[in-house]
Amino acid sequence: MHCPLPGRQQRLIGIDSPAEWEDTLEQQGEVAALGRKVRWSRERVIIFAADMQGRQAEAVRLESPARVIRLSGGVLYWPVRKRVMDDQQPRQVRPCVMAIIDRAFWHRIRVVPTRPL
């Protein structure tokens, strides 16, 4: 999947509404990006995008290996794993991962790297 976030630098954001989705992710529908519609009254979306990988970089994919994201003391701990792909065609790629989470009170998200595959 092509990362729908604009820019080239690492970025971590939370999206709270359909209007914010439209403003942030131009021309990318919820179903195409997430596999289903978001129930905005009960859910939010979080997105982590890594730095743009140059033409000589190996193909990297980000994934969230856990089905549960831990909340502790107002901090959301999101495990994210970097996976090196067997892609033989180096190209400019910006890997990212998205998750739908239940609405809860948190003031910060911390991406926790897990062991690569």
Side-chain angles (χ1 to χ4, degrees), residues 54-105:
R55 292 208 173 275
Q56 301 303 327
E58 57 194 3
V60 171
R61 178 176 161 188
L62 298 178
E63 52 193 25
S64 184
R67 301 219 18 106
V68 176
I69 298 173
R70 186 171 61 95
L71 176 62
S72 177
V75 178
L76 198 62
Y77 293 91
W78 186 15
V80 172
R81 177 172 46 214
K82 184 186 284 189
R83 183 175 183 184
V84 177
M85 306 303 289
D86 292 333
D87 191 352
Q88 299 300 322
Q89 297 181 24
R91 58 182 173 267
Q92 287 194 339
V93 177
R94 184 175 188 204
C96 70
V97 61
M98 300 182 190
I100 299 172
I101 60 170
D102 291 337
R103 285 195 176 269
F105 175 75

Side-chain angles (χ1 to χ4, degrees), residues 5-62:
L5 283 179
R8 300 176 63 85
Q9 304 300 322
Q10 180 173 300
R11 191 168 171 200
L12 176 62
I13 64 168
I15 298 177
D16 294 317
S17 69
E20 191 175 352
W21 176 276
E22 291 293 322
D23 290 344
T24 307
L25 305 176
E26 299 174 7
Q27 302 177 8
Q28 182 79 26
E30 296 169 33
V31 175
L34 299 164
R36 70 169 175 88
K37 296 283 276 177
V38 179
R39 294 183 284 278
W40 292 106
S41 63
R42 297 186 317 222
E43 299 172 325
R44 301 168 82 174
V45 174
I46 54 176
I47 304 172
F48 173 66
D51 291 332
M52 177 71 84
Q53 303 294 309
R55 292 208 173 275
Q56 301 303 327
E58 57 194 3
V60 171
R61 178 176 161 188
L62 298 178

